Amino acid sequence: MKILKLEAENFKRLSVVEITPQGNLIPITGKNASGKSSVLDCIYAAFAGKGAVPGKPIRDGEASATIRLDCGDLIITRRFTERDSYLSVASAEGAEYKSPQKMLDALLGAFTFDPLTFSRQSAVAQFKALSDLVGLDFQQLEEANIVDYDERTALNRNAKSARASAENIQVSDNIPEDIVDTSLLVNELAEAGECNANIEREKEKRTSRTRMIDAMLEEATALKAKHKAAIKEINRLEVEAKQDKPLAEPIAITDLRQRIEVAGATNEAIILRDEARARKKEYATKAKKAEAESNMLTKHIEARKEQIAKAIASAKLPIEGLSLDDGQVFLNGIPFDQCSSAEVLRASVAIAMSANPQLRVIRIEEGSLLDNDGFELIAEMAKAEDYQVWIERVSDNGNVGIVMEDGHVKADNQEPAPHNLSEEQEGPLEGQEPQLFIVEDE
Ligand SMILES: Nc1ncnc2c1ncn2[C@@H]1O[C@H](COP(=O)(O)OP(=O)(O)O)[C@@H](O)[C@H]1O
Ligand SMILES: [Mg+2]
């Protein structure tokens, strides 16, 4: 389906416009602000309705605007007033469709896809546009990956710093494993002291006894009267003395004191060592946990990447040789931005065509950016595939295509197509001069 006739009144810049497109390429030319985009926009607004209608569709000073597209099988009329818009879609015989917008939506492909704009976009924007065109949406997955990337960076940083802290802690190896029980040694010391005191007391006792014997012997000598009794006492004491057990060797306590001192120092070292061990263990645990979480995030990120890659690999792209990979569009395996501009333009137009299979109408807004070869290429493709390409070009000379001036058609330089449009119809009639069609000012 194509547009056989376009009529518009008071839409944006347009006053009264009637265009009967001839052939496959319809250049809309004219100076700046003459109403070229208004023509392209009125086609889009007529088909797409809401969302495609500019903020102020009605020409300044007018009360309403009307667009009428005769597409052969369908006649589309859209009218705008200050408050409302009306749509009627009728068959060629005049029967009106009940759900006119639904009817048009079913016809519309990727009508906004402008091949020239696409061909001039960055690799990233092209990838996005093509993904959108074939219905791929990675936004959620990519956003989730960005969140996980950030979190993983923080975790890796924590893990690294915990590892470094663990490395920096020195744990000495030449200290006994277990704490020495000094209370046992202190008890032992007390017992030894007691024992030694007993020995001292016993020694004392024995010394005084010897002295007593001496004193008594002296006394006995001096006191003969008491001699006998003294002898007896001496004998008794000597008997007693004979019963004494040998004295134990005194215990050396200097050594014990030294051991207590050493044990104290050792224990302090053990406490410090154990603290260091605990901290080292704590940091190692922290690092292990962060590393495990980081690994988990890596898995999630990889899984999403795989999901994206799978979706891309299985996406049905509109033309042969086109592929998406690694955020770029490829044409026969070559990144789009490395292909020649002709190759890119050809592919872009082919995409636009394949994306609009029913309504064979394509709009190109920035046609002025095309060189002659590009223009020719689009003309050839439009003819070969039988698409109607409406293309806007700034031009001052007024002798190409439909020339706009001040919101109306100033001249129609189209070469008229033969009347009996049929399968074998070829381009313009040979030898025919371009027809100049002047529309009067309103
Ligand atoms: N509703 C409107 N009423 C009057 N003028 C308008 C309206 N909308 C846009 N314009 C004017 O139309 C001109 C742009 O028209 P446009 O069709 O984009 O021209 P072109 O594509 O030829 O450069 C601008 O001067 C703009 O101010
Ligand atoms: Mg324009």
Side-chain angles (χ1 to χ4, degrees):
M1 178 178 290
K2 299 199 210 66
I3 299 168
L4 305 184
K5 188 172 172 187
L6 175 155
E7 292 165 275
E9 209 179 312
N10 299 330
F11 182 81
K12 282 181 71 181
R13 180 73 171 101
L14 307 178
S15 50
V16 178
V17 166
E18 184 180 319
I19 294 169
T20 305
Q22 310 282 344
N24 295 100
L25 191 72
I26 302 110
I28 308 291
T29 65
K31 296 184 183 173
N32 265 321
S34 57
K36 303 181 295 297
S37 291
S38 298
V39 172
L40 263 61
D41 289 353
C42 87
I43 299 176
Y44 183 34
F47 277 111
K50 258 188 207 134
V53 179
K56 188 178 177 328
I58 304 171
R59 184 179 162 95
D60 270 349
E62 302 294 336
S64 67
T66 311
I67 307 164
R68 186 174 180 279
L69 299 183
D70 177 352
C71 300
D73 293 340
L74 291 180
I75 315 286
I76 301 157
T77 314
R78 204 181 280 272
R79 207 169 86 80
F80 304 94
T81 63
E82 288 297 342
R83 316 189 99 235
D84 285 307
S85 84
Y86 306 90
L87 170 67
S88 130
V89 177
S91 70
E93 294 74 34
E96 292 229 7
Y97 286 92
K98 278 204 177 124
S99 310
Q101 189 60 59
K102 253 192 194 161
M103 166 83 210
L104 296 183
D105 287 347
L107 270 179
L108 279 179
F111 201 61
T112 47
F113 187 88
D114 179 331
L116 184 57
T117 307
F118 174 75
S119 73
R120 303 179 66 86
Q121 279 173 329
S122 69
V124 173
Q126 281 171 339
F127 180 82
K128 170 88 175 68
L130 207 50
S131 300
D132 287 349
L133 193 72
V134 298
L136 299 173
D137 182 7
F138 307 127
Q139 199 186 339
Q140 258 189 330
L141 293 172
E142 275 163 0
E143 277 172 5
N145 267 3
I146 288 171
V147 170
D148 279 1
Y149 274 130
D150 287 350
E151 200 182 327
R152 186 177 64 173
T153 308
L155 284 168
N156 287 346
R157 206 186 300 123
N158 290 348
K160 205 174 160 195
S161 112
R163 284 265 170 245
S165 303
E167 285 293 319
N168 279 340
I169 294 172
Q170 303 296 331
V171 178
S172 126
D173 288 333
N174 48 8
I175 296 171
E177 271 312 307
D178 300 318
I179 290 274
V180 180
D181 188 348
T182 47
S183 70
L184 287 179
L185 289 171
V186 169
N187 281 349
E188 215 177 317
L189 176 66
E191 274 166 23
E194 180 105 349
C195 180
N196 290 352
N198 281 341
I199 292 168
E200 279 310 310
R201 271 197 297 279
E202 193 61 25
K203 245 190 201 166
E204 197 67 31
K205 198 171 133 193
R206 292 177 194 191
T207 313
S208 83
R209 191 174 54 205
T210 312
R211 257 193 242 115
M212 205 192 285
I213 292 171
D214 289 346
M216 281 183 161
L217 276 174
E218 218 172 288
E219 210 183 355
T221 314
L223 305 167
K224 281 192 175 168
K226 291 181 181 174
H227 179 252
K228 226 178 176 177
I231 291 294
K232 202 180 169 189
E233 181 62 10
I234 289 162
N235 285 341
R236 189 189 63 81
L237 290 173
E238 277 172 348
V239 169
E240 194 185 302
K242 271 183 194 142
Q243 281 165 359
D244 284 340
K245 291 183 183 114
L247 283 176
E249 270 304 306
I251 300 169
I253 57 168
T254 348
D255 180 40
L256 265 174
R257 282 220 180 82
Q258 213 174 343
R259 277 169 66 199
I260 289 171
E261 252 172 50
V262 170
T266 307
N267 289 347
E268 261 171 43
I270 288 172
I271 288 164
L272 288 177
R273 193 267 330 270
D274 286 353
E275 273 172 12
R277 244 186 213 163
R279 269 186 291 131
K280 193 176 179 93
K281 199 173 161 191
E282 191 185 323
Y283 278 124
T285 310
K286 261 190 203 165
K288 206 171 156 191
K289 186 165 174 271
E291 281 155 3
E293 285 174 23
S294 167
N295 288 341
M296 188 57 83
L297 290 181
T298 303
K299 270 188 197 154
H300 290 165
I301 290 169
E302 290 308 322
R304 287 193 205 100
K305 277 189 184 165
E306 211 171 291
Q307 212 180 328
I308 290 174
K310 264 190 194 158
I312 288 173
S314 60
K316 195 174 168 341
L317 292 169
I319 63 164
E320 188 76 17
L322 202 64
S323 55
L324 294 173
D325 193 18
D326 204 18
Q328 278 197 81
V329 180
F330 287 78
L331 187 61
N332 299 322
I334 309 275
F336 227 40
D337 58 7
Q338 283 172 234
C339 295
S340 76
S341 42
E343 285 167 336
V344 169
L345 188 62
R346 184 189 298 281
S348 305
V349 174
I351 293 168
M353 288 176 170
S354 111
N356 294 287
Q358 296 211 66
L359 183 62
R360 302 175 83 80
V361 175
I362 291 168
R363 298 168 318 132
I364 298 181
E365 287 188 340
E366 303 287 348
S368 306
L369 300 170
L370 280 171
D371 58 13
N372 282 338
D373 288 347
F375 197 72
E376 282 303 314
L377 176 70
I378 289 178
E380 269 169 36
M381 289 182 78
K383 190 170 170 198
E385 301 298 326
D386 195 18
Y387 270 76
Q388 199 175 56
V389 179
W390 295 68
I391 181 162
E392 174 182 345
R393 286 192 109 179
V394 176
S395 141
D396 278 344
N397 62 18
N399 58 16
V400 182
I402 298 192
V403 186
M404 298 299 297
E405 185 182 81
D406 197 16
H408 65 268
V409 177
K410 185 193 175 198
D412 184 342
N413 299 308
Q414 294 183 103
E415 292 172 358
H419 277 302
N420 54 339
L421 286 167
S422 63
E423 242 53 84
E424 67 266 17
Q425 181 224 318
E426 292 300 330
L429 293 180
E430 270 189 28
Q432 188 159 355
E433 287 294 286
Q435 192 192 16
L436 201 67
F437 177 56
I438 311 245
V439 175
E440 296 298 326
D441 279 340
E442 342 91 273

